[in-house]
Amino acid sequence: MANEEDDPVVQEIDVYLAKSLAEKLYLFQYPVRPASMTYDDIPHLSAKIKPKQQKVELEMAIDTLNPNYCRSKGEQIALNVDGACADETSTYSSKLMDKQTFCSSQTTSNTSRYAAALYRQGELHLTPLHGILQLRPSFSYLDKADAKHREREAANEAGDSSQDEAEDDVKQITVRFSRPESEQARQRRVQSYEFLQKKHAEEPWVHLHYYGLRDSRSEHERQYLLCSGSSGVENTELVKSPSEYLMMLMPPSQEEEKDKPVAPSNVLSMAQLRTLPLADQIKILMKNVKVMPFANLMSLLGPSIDSVAVLRGIQKVAMLVQGNWVVKSDILYPKDSSSPHSGVPAEVLCRGRDFVMWKFTQSRWVVRKEVATVTKLCAEDVKDFLEHMAVVRINRGWEFILPYDGEFIKKHPDVVQRQHMLWTGIQAKLEKVYSLVKETMPKKPDAQSGPAGLVSGDQRIQVAKTKAQQNHALLERELQRRKEQLRAPAVPPGVRIKEEPVSEEGEEDDEQEAEEEEPMDTSPSGLHSKLANGLPPGRAAGTDSFNGHPPPGCASTPVARELRAFVEATFQRQFVLTLSELKRLFNLHLASLPPGHTLFSGISDRMLQDTVLAAGCKQILVPFPPQTAASPDEQKVFALWESGDMSDQHRQVLLEIFSKNYRVRRNMIQSRLTQECGEDLSKQEVDKVLKDCCVSYGGMWYLKGTVQS
């Protein structure tokens, strides 16, 4: 008691276990550096990894302008390694040792006792480490220099001996055949050090992209070090009830375990289910039922369960379709599994089932033949997908098994919005994988409250013809009205009108431009059904898209001001962004905002691009190769033209280079910068410009977001 009074508890800290990066987190131990310098300040020229061996190799720049750097020694090393003639295969293209390679080695094979900790707002979040790697300088360039020296000596000896080879003697050649290798000899050879070294050398290197400490991608990944289920949904390992602690301290004896009747492996009683953590209860229920309204799930879990905790848990194992929850595909088809019918791997099955789920966000009905044609899966697999969430109707197709749950949609708009963003990302992946043409995607529905019915092909063609005729008539009347206004001679007194030529082509361009405006991926483009993620139809009223794109002339609205502030802050950090990356950052920004924020009214592609250009950015027309796999959004590259610092002119020259070249070598960039800026730039200045705007991959430099690995 006296010791406890002398050492009181000052503070109690909640500890959470974050498992998002449990199988991916590595700790790199760099060599010791001065405290004033971090490794993030040193440009990382390239990085590569051998995943099976957990071997990493980093290439980092050396500050050749540092007073402690011996230039003569650096030139001598470069000469020994590459020789007098420098070409594309040279290790040091600048004829100076200006970079250093670090190779990793495992410090310990058992990392189960180590974790990375992040302390934030009075909470300690722990993430288990998957590996600890020590980085040490690699001196492979010395081996290369020795090899060059041996080659020169061999060439000299060959030149001397060639003078003595005037006469060619006929020599007898003995041919021997090796005996068949026994099983024991083969096992010894496989277990030998030489064989293992050869296998390790044969494993190909995988090139990586290095992101610095202050990069947005690093900030995004750092959020995974925080446990998302702080309410106890995920932290079942650290939160135990008194009975569970007692069971851990005093486990039942084996005799008691044997006395219990053994139930089938796929059967779990409700009494047993309620002894499990909440997250496991939700997962087991959804895996067995597959489709369930939220109200039914709450009734199964019991009245004492908090609905907020259930909402957090259900979003980890299910997706929202027509207001109901459908279990995620990766829960039914875990990794490394395959189809019992066709043997197709789980990844392909998940993609096909996601397509079926997405189709049900568009309509109450799905045709099995259409799904099989798009996904290229066998009929049995497609039938399994449909039986999970639909019932067959003779001569009509497959109808979603549950009615539209409008009550849940109205009660939880924030969940609906979050699910809508997830479906938007899934739709983009499906369009890319299955090469879905946008013209075949579902059109924007009318604002109706009831579910859509099945429409035949002839009816769709007739409706399209009628709409085309109506639009043509409206355009003809509008054109005639404008012409009559231009011809009208009467002008009110005191009013001066500035006349501008109006051509039919110009009007058609305006109309075409208005028609071609597509909603941003954060909006339900392609998900325009009133059933899309359960968005209520009334949300679309008064806007020109589901995303609520405000009409022209509203640049001073709070939405426009908030969007302008986000764009300016983002480009001050990134300098160069593709439209795809900008929309990804915008989605992350939306996810961090509180419910009801003005930006949740929706932003279209057109509005976002106009805001980027108005914020002082320019679009860089990068000449992508003809066979590029980049999407249209990835080919739209925007760059901040003037940021107000000393490197603006250097960045502008660099951007002009990439407007004519898809990828460029560093020496070309260096010479062009020196030529345009009229001064001999230091290596640090060039490194800064490249770090702001470019990434290095395979010895070439690309604008950020344009490299296709």
Side-chain angles (χ1 to χ4, degrees), residues 16 227-237 239 277-280 282 306 308-316:
Y16 297 95
C227 180
S228 58
S230 301
S231 63
V233 177
E234 282 190 353
N235 287 296
T236 56
E237 290 84 358
V239 179
L278 179 59
D280 293 340
I282 296 173
D306 183 17
V308 176
V310 177
L311 275 175
R312 291 175 180 169
I314 189 68
Q315 294 181 69
K316 297 185 176 91

Side-chain angles (χ1 to χ4, degrees), residues 417-418 420-421 520 522-523 547 563 566 583-595 597-603:
Q417 179 70 16
R418 193 177 300 111
H420 157 61
M421 293 168 62
M520 176 179 166
T522 56
S523 73
N547 225 3
L563 182 61
F566 163 75
K583 291 195 289 188
R584 187 188 70 83
L585 295 175
F586 183 68
N587 283 337
L588 291 176
H589 180 63
L590 283 180
S592 66
L593 296 176
H597 196 275
T598 55
L599 285 181
F600 280 114
S601 60
I603 305 298

Side-chain angles (χ1 to χ4, degrees), residues 412-446:
H412 304 283
D414 53 338
V415 176
V416 173
Q417 179 70 16
R418 193 177 300 111
Q419 288 289 310
H420 157 61
M421 293 168 62
L422 293 175
W423 273 121
T424 303
I426 293 174
Q427 180 202 348
K429 292 180 181 178
L430 293 175
E431 289 178 358
K432 194 170 183 179
V433 171
Y434 293 133
S435 301
L436 301 178
V437 183
K438 286 194 175 182
E439 283 75 6
T440 64
M441 305 302 288
K443 306 296 181 184
K444 184 193 299 185
D446 297 331

Side-chain angles (χ1 to χ4, degrees), residues 1-9:
M1 294 296 295
N3 294 336
E4 291 181 359
E5 292 176 358
D6 295 338
D7 190 13
V9 176

Side-chain angles (χ1 to χ4, degrees), residues 244-264:
E244 290 173 333
Y245 275 120
L246 184 60
M247 185 69 67
M248 293 172 63
L249 294 173
M250 299 177 61
S253 62
Q254 296 183 357
E255 290 77 8
E256 294 178 1
E257 292 286 341
K258 291 179 181 179
D259 293 340
K260 292 183 179 179
V262 179

